[in-house]
Amino acid sequence: MFVIITYDINEERVNKVRKILKRYFVWVQNSVFEGEISIGKLEKCKKELQLVIVPEEDSIYFYIIENKNNYAKSILGLEKNMDSYIY
Amino acid sequence: MQKDLYIFSSGTIKRKENTIYFEPKEGEKKYFPIENISAIHLFGEVDINTKALNFFAQNNIIIHVYNYYGYYSGSYIPREKNVSGELLVKQVEHYLNKEERMYLAYSFVEGALFHMQRNLREYENTEEFIFKIKQELEKAGTCNDINELMGCEGRARDAYYDAFNVILKGKFLFEKREKRPPKNPINALISFGNSLTYSAVLSEIYKTQLNPTISYLHEPRERRFSLSLDISEIFKPLITDTIIFKLINNNMLKDEDFDQDVNYCYLSESGRKKFIKEFETKMDTTIKHRKLGRNVSYRFLIRLECYKLIKHLLKDEIYKPLKAWW
């Protein structure tokens, strides 16, 4: 499945969260990650994040698209072209 | 779900913040998610240090290295966790027993020829070639030793490649199969595609307990993983050739995609990238598996083939080569 993640994290912890997300997803914008992932890996990632965040202050949103054919992405302005695995 | 990472640029690969970090000589630095990568293919001139290698070993990532011309030259493989002495003994046993070996070798040829015919059936005016392949398949069934079998396979392959001129549209002509070095664009495409298929099969073999050096159709010798050659036979027509037909018949290739001189022709970087893009899409395509009852990708089909072979070696279930049913 395809997941888009956005987050609002207290400055003290934001780097920790980004580091974890970086291992699973592609960093597309300052507080946005996206990428394909399996259900198991996503759970693993969530567990890791739970250890870092403070639930009262931080929030992470997961937008899950079961079938990646059901989404389209269009870009205005600068395209960072971050989602390619051929480099 | 897991992807392969292909690196064409020159630069350095590092471990940084517990993930893969690529620093190209020119261009933007980039992070790749380690959890989502199963193998790395290096085509460019890349520096790497032991810290990174250790990290890849921990995460079970195989690194395949290709030479200047895009040929497979070797792999860095993490310490093998899947070792099985019992299976190795069985593998050798099946190699030494002539009948058992012939059965497996014939199965690989059967799978290969079946997929060749399947490819040709999609196109018009290929009946005579299909007939020739069919004849060779029948002959292969009566062979007594491996050399005869290889002969049948070779003649079938010749007929198959002859059919390419009927199938392929456009300016690309295919005279005969030439390797080391390939001399025209189609040969370059076949060589490169087979190289990729070969390393994909090898990656999958390493995920099972099979020993990649003991093979049945090809003679197991030094310096090569011949089991990977055996299993590739089944998948070459299914993966490499269909990509070639697509690239050429849809006019996706241009002159600058090839690096051509008097006595050789290789894919250039742009050509390789195009090929790999199609290759990855193909490998991720899923098919509803009849027995498993769920969708499996081409990549996983290769692994299933390894599992079937293991079952055969352990005398659990007789091996039948994959025959595409879709």
Side-chain angles (χ1 to χ4, degrees):
Chain A
M1 56 191 181
F2 191 84
V3 185
I4 300 164
I5 296 138
T6 62
Y7 55 82
D8 255 332
I9 310 277
N10 191 310
E11 219 173 302
E12 289 165 30
R13 292 175 294 272
V14 68
N15 263 328
K16 286 185 184 168
V17 168
R18 200 180 51 228
K19 258 187 209 174
I20 294 172
L21 286 171
K22 221 184 247 176
R23 286 173 34 219
Y24 293 88
F25 303 98
V26 183
W27 195 17
V28 275
Q29 275 186 340
N30 271 340
S31 21
V32 181
F33 279 85
E34 66 173 36
E36 246 183 286
I37 198 166
S38 65
I39 300 167
K41 281 265 165 71
L42 182 63
E43 284 306 310
K44 197 177 153 211
C45 176
K46 281 182 181 170
K47 280 265 146 57
E48 277 183 58
L49 290 169
Q50 262 165 9
L51 296 176
V52 176
I53 60 168
V54 175
E56 290 78 32
E57 292 179 29
D58 308 333
S59 77
I60 305 176
Y61 289 7
F62 294 85
Y63 299 91
I64 295 166
I65 299 155
E66 295 283 347
N67 184 346
K68 67 170 176 188
N69 298 329
N70 285 346
Y71 100 103
K73 182 162 119 181
S74 64
I75 295 157
L76 269 184
L78 195 64
E79 196 196 340
K80 295 183 181 168
N81 197 18
M82 299 291 255
D83 53 351
S84 164
Y85 282 89
I86 305 169
Y87 200 63
Chain B
M1 194 70 70
Q2 286 198 317
K3 294 236 165 74
D4 282 15
L5 171 63
Y6 296 85
I7 293 192
F8 284 94
S9 336
S10 301
T12 318
I13 289 191
K14 281 183 184 161
R15 167 188 188 161
K16 201 172 174 192
E17 298 186 340
N18 271 333
T19 191
I20 308 167
Y21 180 64
F22 183 60
E23 226 177 48
K25 283 220 175 92
E26 45 206 56
E28 226 165 302
K29 292 159 189 161
K30 204 173 165 183
Y31 288 97
F32 294 101
I34 183 121
E35 298 276 351
N36 244 347
I37 282 174
S38 61
I40 303 177
H41 301 255
L42 300 179
F43 289 90
E45 231 177 83
V46 174
D47 292 334
I48 200 163
N49 59 13
T50 44
K51 219 161 78 183
L53 289 175
N54 272 325
F55 182 55
F56 292 143
Q58 265 172 25
N59 288 283
N60 260 328
I61 292 178
I62 301 178
I63 301 168
H64 296 297
V65 183
Y66 298 81
N67 68 12
Y68 179 78
Y69 301 107
Y71 281 100
Y72 175 75
S73 61
S75 307
Y76 169 75
I77 290 149
R79 177 180 69 89
E80 267 207 79
K81 294 182 183 106
N82 295 326
V83 288
S84 159
E86 190 196 356
L87 188 65
L88 177 64
V89 172
K90 297 276 192 228
Q91 250 185 288
V92 178
E93 221 171 63
H94 278 74
Y95 170 73
L96 292 174
N97 183 322
K98 201 182 157 201
E99 271 169 37
E100 295 282 11
R101 181 180 175 194
M102 275 306 288
Y103 176 76
L104 283 175
Y106 173 74
S107 297
F108 294 131
V109 173
E110 191 190 350
L113 299 196
F114 177 86
H115 289 131
M116 285 180 199
Q117 294 180 47
R118 180 175 176 271
N119 274 350
L120 296 187
R121 267 202 298 272
E122 304 271 313
Y123 298 90
E124 282 170 11
N125 305 326
T126 53
E127 289 81 13
E128 58 166 318
F129 303 107
I130 295 178
F131 181 69
K132 264 189 210 160
I133 296 176
K134 214 175 243 163
Q135 265 184 331
E136 291 301 335
L137 184 61
E138 273 165 30
K139 248 187 259 168
T142 59
C143 286
N144 290 319
D145 66 46
I146 298 287
N147 282 335
E148 267 180 64
L149 190 63
M150 283 292 245
C152 291
E153 196 256 2
R155 283 190 297 276
R157 195 166 285 272
D158 285 343
Y160 176 62
Y161 284 140
D162 283 341
F164 273 34
N165 278 331
V166 181
I167 295 174
L168 298 176
K169 284 182 248 167
K171 57 188 170 161
F172 294 107
L173 256 180
F174 184 65
E175 282 147 27
K176 68 173 202 290
R177 178 79 178 111
E178 287 165 311
K179 302 175 228 179
R180 296 189 212 113
K183 292 204 173 95
N184 62 44
I186 311 252
N187 275 309
L189 284 166
I190 296 175
S191 291
F192 185 68
N194 286 347
S195 208
L196 286 178
T197 312
Y198 177 73
S199 61
V201 171
L202 186 60
S203 296
E204 295 305 314
I205 290 179
Y206 271 114
K207 289 174 191 160
T208 70
Q209 283 84 350
L210 286 169
N211 183 311
T213 56
I214 295 168
S215 59
Y216 303 97
L217 178 61
H218 296 81
E219 205 58 54
R221 265 183 280 161
E222 300 88 12
R223 295 188 305 274
R224 58 180 197 171
F225 295 129
S226 37
L227 185 62
S228 167
L229 297 175
D230 277 9
I231 298 178
S232 305
E233 288 295 333
I234 302 176
F235 290 95
K236 269 166 12 187
L238 206 56
I239 296 170
T240 313
D241 300 341
T242 48
I243 295 173
I244 295 173
F245 299 157
K246 182 177 176 191
L247 285 173
I248 290 183
N249 286 350
N250 294 342
N251 263 328
M252 291 161 79
L253 291 169
K254 297 190 186 74
D255 283 338
E256 65 256 28
D257 292 328
F258 297 96
D259 225 353
Q260 220 160 348
D261 209 324
V262 186
N263 55 356
Y264 69 80
C265 174
Y266 291 107
L267 279 170
S268 67
E269 194 179 309
S270 61
R272 282 181 211 165
K273 279 185 179 166
K274 276 183 194 167
F275 198 104
I276 285 174
K277 205 170 158 236
E278 290 304 319
F279 185 78
E280 280 294 302
T281 333
K282 187 100 212 169
M283 292 301 253
D284 285 340
T285 313
T286 56
I287 295 113
K288 177 109 175 168
H289 196 282
R290 288 186 297 192
K291 221 165 149 192
L292 297 178
R294 63 181 173 92
N295 290 332
V296 295
S297 63
Y298 273 74
R299 200 186 294 283
F300 196 68
L301 277 174
I302 301 179
R303 182 111 58 93
L304 287 176
E305 212 55 20
C306 299
Y307 289 150
K308 268 154 64 186
L309 191 59
I310 293 178
K311 280 200 157 187
H312 177 86
L313 296 172
L314 297 176
K315 296 248 158 33
D316 193 12
E317 205 174 286
I318 289 175
Y319 178 76
K320 286 264 184 309
L322 171 78
K323 286 184 180 168
W325 58 83
W326 54 91

